[in-house]
Amino acid sequence: MTCNANMAPTGDCCGEWNDKTYLGFDFSTQQLKAVVINENLEVKHEVTVHFDSELPEFRTHGGVQKVDNITVTAPSIMWVKAVDLVMEKLKVTGLDLSTVAAVSGAGQQHGSIYWRKGAQKILKNLHPDKFLHEQLQSCFSVRDSPIWMDGSTTTQCLALEEALGGAQRLAELTGSRAYERFTGNQIAKLFETKPESYKNTERVSLVSSFAASLFLGDYAAIDFSDGSGMNLLDIRRKDWADECLNACAPDLREKLGKPVPSYTVLGNISPYYVERYGFNEECKVVGFTGDNPASLAGMNLKEGDVVVSLGTSDTLFLWLKEARPDLEGHILCNPVEKDDYMALLCFKNGSLTRERIRNECADGSWELFSELLESTPRGNFGNIGMYFDLIEIIPTVYGDHRFNKNGEEVSRFSKEVEVRALIEGQFLAKRVHSENLGFSVGPGSRVLATGGASENSAILQVLADIFSTSVYVQDVSNSSALGSAFRAKHGFLGGDSTKFADVINPVTNWTLAATPSPDAAEIYNPMVERYKRLEEKVIAKHSSMKN
Ligand code: ADP
Ligand code: XUL
C-alpha cells in the first residue's frame, strides 16, 4: 500500500516507516537551521549553517550585504549553497534520511528571489551527483535578493497607496499599509529600475517558497501567511488583489503563481534527494511559510499569549480570530488555521544593535553585558535611550538618542547606563506600540520569548518588568525551525482535515524564565508615558532633518 499524505500514518499504510521523523528548516537572516523531530515531537537533531562564518565567500555581515544606508540584499545562491552544507551536516548526525516523512520550512519574510527564464527546467532535472549550487548558479535574473531590512522603496510605497485610494484602504485589503520591505513594492522597484531583469524573470519567489522549491524540484507556491507580507494578497479572499498587482508591475499574477494554504502538501520530495541522500520517494514537501508565522506554529499559544521574538529583528505577535488591520502593524493569514489570522509588529533594530552596544560597552561579551545590565536599577535613574542602526519601521527614525531624567538630550551615557537604556528602550517601544494597537498584556496573559536573545536571563527580566507579566521560554529557542517540523507533520496528516492543535497537543514545553519585580509597574507605567513623549520628539527631529 502506498503511503498517502491524507491518511493517518498508521503502521498499515507505511509499514517501512515505523520510526517516522519530520524535518523543519528556518532560512533566517543569519543562518539556516534544521530541526528533526520524531512522532512524539521530540527534537532528535539540530544543525545550523551560519552564513558569515561558514560561507565567507559571500562576504555577508549578519547574513546580509548593506549596499547603502537603505538598500540591503543577500545573494540568492548563498541560500542554495547553505542547503548543500546543511544536508551534509544532517548526514553526519547519523539520521537515517529515509525516515523523514515530511519536510517543511520557514524563511525570513518579504525577501524576493527572481528565477530567470529556463530555471524551472533546471530545477526539474537536478543531477544527484552534483551539488545544488553548481547547478543553480545561473538560474537568477537578479543576483542579490532584496530582503526585509531594505528600506529603498518609499517612492513605490507612496504610489501603491495612492493607486489603492489611501493607506487605510490598502491595509483593509492586504493587512498592512505600504511598507518598504513588503515584496510588491520591491517588485515594483525592480520593474522600474531594471525592466530587462524583470522581463527575464519567469517566477518570483519569497525566501520561503524559494526554499521549498529547492526541495520540491519545481516552483513552489507562495503560502497565504507569508504571502500576506507582500502588500499584494487580499487576506480575506485569499487571492492576489488585481488592483495591487496592476499597480506594481505587469504580468505579475503569472510570475507569482497561485497562492495556497500554508499546510498544503506541495508534492513529493525531488528525486535529487532520494538518489543523493536516501530520502523515501514518498516524503512530502509541505508548504514553507514566513519565519514569524512558523514561529507562531512552534509555540502552542493560548488565548491572550503574546510572543516576543528576539532574533535579528525583534517581533511581537499573537493569534487573532478576526482581522482588523490598522495603519500600524501587520495582519497576516494564520499559518495553521485557515479562518484565523495573526497580528505582527516588527522592529528592525534587534539583535544586531544589541551586538553593537555589547561590543562598545562590554568587550563583545554577553556575560559582561548581562552583568552591566543587572548592576543598574530598574528605571535606569530616569535615563532613556533609543538606538536605531537602520531606519526603524515603527517609527521611521534613525540614529542614537539619549535622554536624561529631565528629558534633555545628552550625547553619552556611562557603559552600564547605556546597556540598560538600550534594553529598556527596546522593550518600552514594544509595549507602547503594542498598546497602540490595542494588545494589552494583562495579569492572566503570558509573554512567550523566543529567538537568540531569549537565552539571556538578564534581558528576559527587563522584559518581564516592563510588561509586568511572567515570561516563559521553550527548550528550543529556535521556534521557527521547530514550528516548521510541527507543520511538516500537520501537513502530512492532512492539514485542512486535521486540527493543528491536536497534532501538537502533547507539547507543553514552556518554562517560567522571569517574573516581574514587585515595584515594576510603579516604575515602568510612568516611564511608558515618558517614552511616548520622547519618541515624539525624536520623530519631530527626524522629520525636520528630512525637510
Ligand atoms: P535569526 O533567526 O534572525 O537569524 P536568531 O533568533 O538565531 O536570529 O538570533 C541570533 C542572535 O541572537 C544573534 O545575532 C545574537 O545577537 C543573539 N544572541 C545569542 N546569544 C545571546 C545572548 N546570550 N544574549 C543576547 N543575545 C544573544
Ligand atoms: C517581519 C520581518 C522580519 C523578518 C526576519 O515583518 O520583516 O521579522 O521576517 O525575521
Side-chain angles (χ1 to χ4, degrees), residues 58 75-78 80-81 84 113-123 126-127 130-144 197 200-203 210 214 219:
F58 295 104
S76 316
I77 197 72
M78 176 178 80
V80 179
K81 210 165 177 182
D84 289 326
I113 291 90
Y114 300 84
W115 298 94
R116 78 160 169 77
K117 286 189 177 149
Q120 186 177 28
K121 203 161 154 206
I122 300 176
L123 258 183
L126 294 167
H127 294 288
K130 288 190 181 157
F131 283 116
L132 285 177
H133 76 269
E134 294 171 308
Q135 305 181 66
L136 298 177
Q137 200 75 253
S138 61
C139 281
F140 308 106
S141 48
V142 175
R143 193 189 56 184
D144 297 322
S197 302
N200 287 332
T201 299
E202 181 170 82
R203 178 60 90 105
F210 162 75
L214 300 179
Y219 292 147

Side-chain angles (χ1 to χ4, degrees), residues 16-292:
E16 74 280 24
W17 258 352
N18 281 334
D19 297 313
K20 278 190 221 65
T21 58
Y22 301 90
L23 177 52
F25 291 102
D26 177 18
F27 288 71
S28 75
T29 314
Q30 303 191 49
Q31 58 226 304
L32 168 56
K33 307 167 197 170
V35 167
V36 179
I37 57 168
N38 64 12
E39 274 296 8
N40 300 326
L41 312 179
E42 291 155 351
V43 175
K44 302 312 278 179
H45 303 282
E46 278 186 88
V47 295
T48 59
V49 174
H50 185 251
F51 303 139
D52 293 1
S53 57
E54 294 181 72
L55 294 168
E57 62 274 33
F58 295 104
R59 296 169 187 270
T60 55
H61 181 69
V64 309
Q65 303 162 325
K66 272 192 202 151
V67 181
D68 56 45
N69 247 352
I70 49 171
T71 315
V72 188
T73 61
S76 316
I77 197 72
M78 176 178 80
W79 294 318
V80 179
K81 210 165 177 182
V83 172
D84 289 326
L85 254 179
V86 91
M87 291 312 303
E88 296 299 321
K89 288 193 179 194
L90 279 170
K91 253 183 14 193
V92 173
T93 62
L95 168 70
D96 173 1
L97 288 160
S98 73
T99 61
V100 180
V103 174
S104 189
Q108 50 171 294
Q109 297 197 253
H110 319 294
S112 43
I113 291 90
Y114 300 84
W115 298 94
R116 78 160 169 77
K117 286 189 177 149
Q120 186 177 28
K121 203 161 154 206
I122 300 176
L123 258 183
K124 284 184 165 181
N125 293 288
L126 294 167
H127 294 288
D129 50 343
K130 288 190 181 157
F131 283 116
L132 285 177
H133 76 269
E134 294 171 308
Q135 305 181 66
L136 298 177
Q137 200 75 253
S138 61
C139 281
F140 308 106
S141 48
V142 175
R143 193 189 56 184
D144 297 322
S145 299
I147 64 142
W148 66 273
M149 287 171 157
D150 188 274
S152 65
T153 65
T154 307
T155 317
Q156 289 74 23
C157 288
L158 293 173
L160 181 61
E161 287 181 351
E162 200 185 319
L164 268 285
Q168 184 64 41
R169 164 102 212 293
L170 181 63
E172 280 300 327
L173 190 65
T174 69
S176 304
R177 66 175 301 169
Y179 283 91
E180 278 78 358
R181 68 194 192 290
F182 275 46
T183 325
N185 308 306
Q186 294 289 343
I187 296 171
K189 177 184 158 195
L190 179 75
F191 170 65
E192 282 163 33
T193 57
K194 295 186 183 146
E196 273 312 301
S197 302
Y198 182 76
K199 206 169 134 214
N200 287 332
T201 299
E202 181 170 82
R203 178 60 90 105
V204 182
S205 291
L206 294 177
V207 178
S208 55
S209 62
F210 162 75
S213 307
L214 300 179
F215 290 93
L216 192 65
D218 197 353
Y219 292 147
I222 292 175
D223 76 293
F224 294 156
S225 196
D226 209 15
S228 318
M230 302 173 78
N231 279 144
L232 295 177
L233 188 84
D234 179 334
I235 56 164
R236 294 190 181 77
R237 274 196 321 115
K238 300 190 168 39
D239 190 12
W240 304 122
D242 282 316
E243 281 178 276
C244 301
L245 297 179
N246 297 339
C248 287
D251 309 319
L252 197 44
R253 187 174 272 278
E254 194 190 314
K255 291 187 203 284
L256 292 174
K258 193 174 154 32
V260 297
S262 310
Y263 43 68
T264 305
V265 171
L266 301 172
N268 287 352
I269 198 159
S270 155
Y272 175 83
Y273 296 85
V274 177
E275 287 163 44
R276 189 175 173 94
Y277 298 107
F279 275 80
N280 189 309
E281 60 188 16
E282 292 289 334
C283 170
K284 305 296 171 203
V285 178
V286 174
F288 284 35
T289 190
D291 54 358
N292 294 296

Side-chain angles (χ1 to χ4, degrees), residues 26 28-31 33 310-312 351 355 366 451-453 456 459:
D26 177 18
S28 75
T29 314
Q30 303 191 49
Q31 58 226 304
K33 307 167 197 170
L310 304 169
T312 312
S351 279
E355 281 178 27
W366 285 124
N456 187 315
I459 292 180

